[in-house]
């Protein structure tokens, strides 16, 4: 039987055996989010077409990350669905065993994740610096650098504690 998968606005058909279909029927058959699997379909694209596809791919990956972040506040994303440095290292070691193509996908995922989080208006990140620049532009004079440094210092400590707590809560 042929099963159709939808990913990033594209439709992919995969032929499955009866045993594989039976296994799918006993599991949850929908998935929303990002993931890396040892089983994937390889598509060959010319360099130009591949270069044009990477921008929407990264954009959609960024939107999934933002939706997941929003899900933390609405309850749609649980603490077990996120991770800190320990989870990242564990995931990297697992993905390396899947092969080089999966490692490349993980590099894209981590890069987009870092870009999205760095632009959040959280103290100690670049998004907060952009907020300070906008405030300075509106006020017409700079913010006291000692106050800005204190806010960013406190934000950095809070971020480090949250990263450690996320992994500790999963243990």
């Amino acid at each position: 039987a042929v099963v159709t998968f939808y990913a990033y606005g594209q439709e992919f058909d995969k032929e499955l055996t009866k045993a594989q279909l039976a296994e799918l029927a006993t599991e949850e058959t929908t998935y929303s989010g990002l993931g890396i699997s040892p089983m994937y379909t390889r598509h060959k694209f010319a360099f130009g077409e591949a270069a044009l596809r990477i921008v929407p791919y990264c954009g959609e990956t960024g939107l999934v990350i933002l939706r997941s972040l929003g899900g933390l506040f609405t309850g749609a994303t649980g603490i077990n669905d996120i991770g800190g440095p320990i989870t990242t290292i564990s995931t990297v070691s697992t993905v390396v065993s899947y092969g080089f193509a999966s490692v490349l996908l993980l590099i894209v995922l981590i890069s987009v994740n870092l870009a999205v989080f760095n632009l959040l208006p959280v103290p100690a990140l670049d998004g907060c610096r952009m907020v300070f620049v906008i405030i300075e532009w509106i006020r017409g004079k700079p913010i006291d650098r000692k106050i800005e440094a204190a806010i960013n210092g406190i934000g950095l400590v809070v971020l480090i504690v949250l990263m450690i707590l996320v992994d500790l809560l999963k243990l």
Side-chain angles (χ1 to χ4, degrees), residues 35-116:
I36 296 175
S37 170
M39 296 174 51
Y40 56 88
T41 303
R42 177 173 273 160
H43 298 275
K44 291 189 177 198
F45 299 109
F47 179 79
E49 186 178 358
L52 290 174
R53 287 175 172 265
I54 194 66
V55 173
Y57 176 79
C58 289
E60 289 190 35
T61 301
L63 288 175
V64 170
I65 292 166
L66 285 173
R67 274 189 235 116
S68 298
L69 182 63
L72 288 172
F73 297 104
T74 63
T77 304
I79 192 75
N80 290 332
D81 297 329
I82 61 173
I86 296 170
T87 305
T88 303
I89 292 168
S90 172
T91 302
V92 169
S93 66
T94 302
V95 169
V96 165
S97 69
Y98 294 165
F100 186 68
S102 295
V103 172
L104 290 177
L105 285 172
L106 183 64
I107 289 170
V108 171
L109 178 60
I110 289 173
S111 298
V112 173
N113 195 10
L114 286 172
V116 167

Side-chain angles (χ1 to χ4, degrees), residues 2-16 40-45 53 57 60:
V2 176
V3 177
T4 303
F5 298 95
Y6 298 93
Y8 300 104
Q10 295 181 2
E11 189 174 296
F12 300 99
D13 292 328
K14 173 87 172 160
E15 187 157 338
L16 300 176
Y40 56 88
T41 303
R42 177 173 273 160
H43 298 275
K44 291 189 177 198
F45 299 109
R53 287 175 172 265
Y57 176 79
E60 289 190 35

